[in-house]
Amino acid sequence: FSNFVIFIYYFLFQFSRWKMNDSFILPQPGSRYSISGGNLRISQLNKEEDAGIYQCLASNSFGTILSREASLHIAYLEEFKTQRRSPVSVREGQGVVLLCGPPAHMGGELTFSWIFNEYPSFVKQDTRRFVSQKTGNLYIAKVEPSDVGNYTCVVTNSVTQSRVQGPPTPLPKIEIQFPEVLAVAKGLTVRLECFALGNPVPAITWRRPDGVPFPRKVDVNKSSGVLEIPYFQQEDAGPFECMAENSRGKNTVKGRLSFYAPPHLVEKPQDVQKAIDESLLWECKASAKPKPSYRWLKNGEPLESFEVVNGALSISSLTLSDTGMYQCIAENRHGRVFTNAELRVIAVAPDFSYSVLKAQTLARQGGDVLIECRPRMSPRGMISWRKGKEALRESHRVSVLDNGSLRISNITKLDAGLYTCVARNQFGVASSAGTLVVKEPTIITSKATQLDVTVGESVVIPCQVSRDPTLDVRFTWFFNEQLINFGSHGGYFEKVGGTSAGDIMIRNIQLRHAGRYTCAVQTKVDSASIATDVVVRGPPEPPLDIKVDEVAETTSFVSWSPGPDNHSPVFAYNIQIRSPFSLGWQAAKTVPASLGGQQLTARVVELSPWVEYEFRVLATNSIGTGEPSKPSQKIRTKDTLPRTTPARVSGGGGSRSELVITWEVTKQALVAHLSAQRYSSCQWWTAHWPVSKTGPSCCQIVWSVI
């Protein structure tokens, strides 16, 4: 190992020190340790003296931070002992295990193989033969005559690439098992081995004890009894079992996989610059299982004088001595992580370079004003105010807030003038000034009111104001809290009035224009608003829920519900009817004959029997009659005997054995019963006799005489 050298690089620091197993390394002339440019060099490595935990402490004028831990392991693989192994006697068909017994080693993974008799004849794994990569042992489930010979275990170190051979074992019952509980880190690949001896050769299966399948696809190599779970996750944890089974029986081995995760930072503190007396809260959070604990270092030393809660570092009042490099360490038994941040605590004299007072502040008479004063200074000093050349005295109207800003309430004309904010701390004094200008208030002189308008009329909604003549005023109108765009809305809205008025006119007003209209007035100094409720009166809306029942030969009962009256009470209802034989809708005769505004039911009379009718209702108020309701469902009146007889009945003519009878339906019957009379109409006769229709009002029957 004399020519093996370790280099660990660390940049950007002026001074570095090293620790091994928490003890400082002090390089001496001629020793095996030397530090160059922050790098630690170890020559002629010794596995007993140099293996351990190393950390670098890097320092400059801003502070010190500690590196994460680096473990140094020196890989080696010793030779097998030369003691010859005794021959192994096995009956044919039995199982046997040949022990490898690897020599002492360190670092890297070992891989195992077996030579059968002479190199390069290696044992090939199959359902009978298995080489464990954990113990190196060779398992033969059922020995056959061809297995007789010498077996040599070969061990290879993956780091040193050295290979050693054990003494030959002339050609033993054992099963490969696994730990009862195996802890696995997140993201690692789990490889479990299970091999059983038996004749016939046992079959190997893996499963969950509760019968639930593995949560995701796993690699099961049945020929070699290996279960492999790549990129292990928390849902993979839990109980499992390996079952070996042949025709003579079965055997089961149970185990459990437990999940763990070393800490992984999810929230890190950032470099920050703070003023004296300010507070600091640095969050440091890590995900891990089990939950991590947290420690903080300042300049590489444990930090114990400040509060740490769930990883967060809190300092309530900073001082210059708090400046330095800080580190948060999150750790559990499976690992630890470091994160670094710099804290600078500064001290400066008051400075208004970036926060001068406004040159001019406008305020309205009778209102309030806040003049901000926010100089940059550290530590926080004293702030005072002057008006003109005199110190400003506080009163019930004038006060200086904790942050230094000046508040003046119920402003008068006398409050106008030049105001100066003066800031001072132990490092200096600075000031900044601005002028307060007091303006007349903006007042809406129109009174809030309610307007009643009839559909189709035009109305003007006033918005008159008094204001400071030096200020521009802006009028904005809202309808039911929605901004009115005077270029749209169908041209119904129009601005009217002069420079001090924001009146609007609504032309040909409609029912949909009813609601609240708000006039908002705004200047650079203040604002005001007034609301006017507009009620639009119009004909009533159509009645609702028209129902028809109690249908008889010439009457029916009609009911309905009132629709909105549009701010004018309904004083009358009218019922209309329609049938296939009427010219459109016609007024119906009702009982009572006159239907008042409170009447919601009526009996319709003088209907014709056996006719389909529809009904609708109209409402009337002082504005007019509204739109009719939707038609009711069609109903048919009941049938009855005709009320008139056919006229001009006559007979005669015809051929031998026939008698022709003709008649004429009367005009009264045509008017009232033509479509409904089952006995006097041609339709009825056609259904019962061999009748031929000769005209719109005449029928003839041809009777055959037998």
Side-chain angles (χ1 to χ4, degrees):
F1 305 107
S2 60
N3 295 325
F4 187 83
V5 179
I6 282 185
F7 291 99
I8 303 177
Y9 295 96
Y10 214 95
F11 298 101
L12 304 179
F13 288 90
Q14 298 175 354
F15 175 69
S16 299
R17 293 173 293 162
W18 284 87
K19 284 183 176 182
M20 174 189 172
N21 297 335
D22 289 329
S23 297
F24 282 102
I25 297 174
L26 302 175
Q28 300 294 332
S31 70
R32 295 185 299 109
Y33 300 98
S34 62
I35 298 177
S36 175
N39 307 323
L40 175 63
R41 177 190 178 103
I42 308 174
S43 59
Q44 300 178 358
L45 285 172
N46 184 292
K47 65 182 181 181
E48 283 78 19
E49 297 180 5
D50 298 326
I53 306 298
Y54 288 79
Q55 284 182 288
C56 173
L57 287 83
S59 305
N60 65 8
S61 58
F62 297 110
T64 301
I65 62 172
L66 186 67
S67 75
R68 65 176 183 176
E69 297 168 343
S71 297
L72 174 60
H73 302 279
I74 302 174
Y76 65 89
L77 177 61
E78 294 184 354
E79 294 287 342
F80 276 94
K81 295 181 179 180
T82 58
Q83 181 180 0
R84 187 171 181 83
R85 300 189 178 185
S86 302
V88 177
S89 298
V90 184
R91 291 182 181 179
E92 181 181 351
Q94 289 184 334
V96 69
V97 59
L98 301 181
L99 305 180
C100 178
H105 62 278
M106 174 62 71
E109 293 185 358
L110 298 183
T111 58
F112 301 92
S113 59
W114 284 78
I115 297 175
F116 178 52
N117 290 328
E118 295 181 356
Y119 179 85
S121 177
F122 285 90
V123 174
K124 294 182 179 180
Q125 298 188 74
D126 52 25
T127 57
R128 282 196 318 114
R129 294 172 292 191
F130 175 75
V131 178
S132 171
Q133 295 302 313
K134 295 183 180 296
T135 63
N137 298 340
L138 169 62
Y139 300 84
I140 304 176
K142 183 180 71 171
V143 175
E144 297 177 351
S146 60
D147 296 324
V148 175
N150 289 326
Y151 291 82
T152 303
C153 181
V154 181
V155 184
T156 303
N157 187 304
S158 62
V159 174
T160 65
Q161 292 300 310
S162 58
R163 175 185 291 180
V164 295
Q165 296 183 9
T169 304
L171 207 151
K173 166 185 164 185
I174 195 166
E175 295 176 343
I176 295 181
Q177 296 189 14
F178 31 77
E180 185 175 343
V181 178
L182 180 62
V184 185
K186 176 182 178 181
L188 294 184
T189 296
V190 181
R191 191 173 188 271
L192 300 172
E193 297 178 346
C194 182
F195 191 78
L197 309 180
N199 184 11
V201 176
I204 304 296
T205 57
W206 297 85
R207 67 174 189 175
R208 297 277 197 181
D210 54 7
V212 177
F214 286 97
R216 57 196 178 91
K217 184 178 180 181
V218 297
D219 183 14
V220 180
N221 190 335
K222 297 182 178 179
S223 65
S224 60
V226 175
L227 170 69
E228 188 171 284
I229 306 176
Y231 199 71
F232 190 77
Q233 299 297 307
Q234 186 159 2
E235 60 266 22
D236 297 321
F240 64 95
E241 61 186 24
C242 168
M243 184 172 67
E245 185 174 14
N246 63 12
S247 59
R248 296 188 178 183
K250 61 182 178 180
N251 193 9
T252 301
V253 179
K254 297 182 179 180
R256 175 179 291 274
L257 291 171
S258 66
F259 174 86
Y260 76 85
H264 171 71
L265 286 168
V266 296
E267 190 167 347
K268 305 177 183 179
Q270 303 296 319
D271 294 345
V272 68
Q273 180 174 290
K274 292 278 189 176
I276 291 179
D277 295 333
E278 286 188 341
S279 61
L280 171 71
L281 178 62
W282 256 336
E283 294 285 354
C284 179
K285 292 183 180 179
S287 62
K289 186 175 181 180
K291 290 184 178 180
S293 60
Y294 298 91
R295 294 185 291 124
W296 282 82
L297 305 180
K298 178 188 175 185
N299 294 333
E301 298 296 330
L303 191 62
E304 299 176 352
S305 57
F306 298 116
E307 183 181 11
V308 176
V309 178
N310 294 328
L313 173 63
S314 175
I315 305 177
S316 59
S317 181
L318 293 170
T319 65
L320 289 175
S321 63
D322 294 323
T323 297
M325 297 299 301
Y326 289 75
Q327 290 178 282
C328 172
I329 305 173
E331 57 190 334
N332 63 13
R333 64 176 178 267
H334 303 293
R336 64 181 62 169
V337 288
F338 289 68
T339 182
N340 313 324
E342 179 187 1
L343 170 63
R344 290 189 182 185
V345 182
I346 59 173
V348 295
D351 180 14
F352 283 94
S353 300
Y354 302 99
S355 57
V356 296
L357 265 67
K358 291 176 62 176
Q360 188 180 76
T361 301
L362 300 179
R364 71 174 179 88
Q365 185 176 351
D368 300 341
V369 71
L370 180 68
I371 306 176
E372 293 187 342
C373 177
R374 294 186 177 181
R376 180 175 179 264
M377 60 178 173
S378 179
R380 181 73 180 173
M382 295 181 57
I383 290 181
S384 59
W385 285 82
R386 295 197 305 266
K387 182 184 179 186
K389 296 183 180 180
E390 301 293 331
L392 185 65
R393 295 183 179 180
E394 296 190 58
S395 66
H396 67 283
R397 291 194 312 109
V398 180
S399 59
V400 179
L401 305 183
D402 292 340
N403 63 4
S405 298
L406 175 64
R407 179 184 293 279
I408 305 176
S409 304
N410 194 18
I411 295 172
T412 68
K413 290 285 188 179
L414 297 177
D415 293 321
L418 180 67
Y419 288 82
T420 303
C421 176
V422 181
R424 56 170 52 86
N425 65 10
Q426 61 263 45
F427 299 104
V429 180
S431 63
S432 182
T435 301
L436 175 63
V437 179
V438 180
K439 298 288 186 178
E440 294 289 338
T442 302
I443 301 174
I444 298 178
T445 57
S446 303
K447 302 296 183 182
T449 185
Q450 176 174 303
L451 299 178
D452 285 1
V453 189
T454 301
V455 169
E457 294 181 348
S458 296
V459 63
V460 174
I461 305 177
C463 187
Q464 305 285 327
V465 299
S466 66
R467 60 185 176 85
D468 192 298
T470 63
L471 295 177
D472 293 330
V473 64
R474 177 185 177 189
F475 294 91
T476 307
W477 279 90
F478 298 88
F479 173 47
N480 291 336
E481 300 183 357
Q482 299 296 317
L483 178 67
I484 295 177
N485 184 350
F486 287 91
S488 59
H489 299 287
Y492 288 98
F493 299 104
E494 178 184 344
K495 284 187 176 181
V496 295
T499 57
S500 296
D503 304 351
I504 65 168
M505 174 180 283
I506 308 175
R507 298 182 183 274
N508 189 24
I509 198 166
Q510 302 298 308
L511 289 172
R512 64 178 181 275
H513 296 143
R516 169 158 291 194
Y517 291 80
T518 303
C519 175
V521 184
Q522 188 172 16
T523 68
K524 288 183 177 180
V525 174
D526 58 358
S527 61
S529 64
I530 186 174
T532 301
D533 292 321
V534 176
V535 176
V536 181
R537 303 185 187 277
E541 298 293 324
L544 308 171
D545 301 327
I546 311 301
K547 296 179 180 179
V548 182
D549 50 18
E550 299 182 17
V551 180
E553 294 88 350
T554 60
T555 64
S556 65
F557 189 79
V558 180
S559 63
W560 61 91
S561 299
D565 62 7
N566 289 329
H567 307 287
S568 180
V570 174
F571 63 74
Y573 288 103
N574 293 286
I575 299 177
Q576 293 181 339
I577 58 176
R578 180 172 66 179
S579 73
F581 310 103
S582 64
L583 298 176
W585 291 93
Q586 298 178 349
K589 292 186 178 181
T590 61
V591 176
S594 178
L595 305 179
Q598 303 300 318
Q599 186 83 28
L600 299 178
T601 60
R603 186 172 298 280
V604 179
V605 297
E606 296 187 15
L607 300 175
S608 296
W610 199 247
V611 175
E612 274 191 347
Y613 285 99
E614 293 176 279
F615 299 79
R616 71 181 187 183
V617 183
L618 296 85
T620 303
N621 62 12
S622 60
I623 310 300
T625 299
E627 293 293 322
S629 68
K630 292 182 179 180
S632 69
Q633 290 185 343
K634 293 181 180 180
I635 60 96
R636 184 186 295 274
T637 53
K638 295 182 178 180
D639 57 348
T640 185
L641 295 174
R643 286 181 281 179
T644 61
T645 60
R648 299 181 183 178
V649 180
S650 63
S655 60
R656 179 181 291 181
S657 303
E658 290 182 347
L659 176 62
V660 178
I661 301 175
T662 63
W663 69 90
E664 181 179 312
V665 180
T666 63
K667 184 176 180 181
Q668 181 182 4
L670 282 172
V671 172
H673 308 290
L674 178 61
S675 64
Q677 303 305 324
R678 296 178 59 186
Y679 307 107
S680 64
S681 69
C682 296
Q683 181 181 6
W684 186 90
W685 286 104
T686 302
H688 296 82
W689 298 90
V691 177
S692 61
K693 186 174 181 181
T694 62
S697 61
C698 297
C699 292
Q700 71 176 15
I701 301 175
V702 179
W703 286 6
S704 298
V705 179
I706 302 175

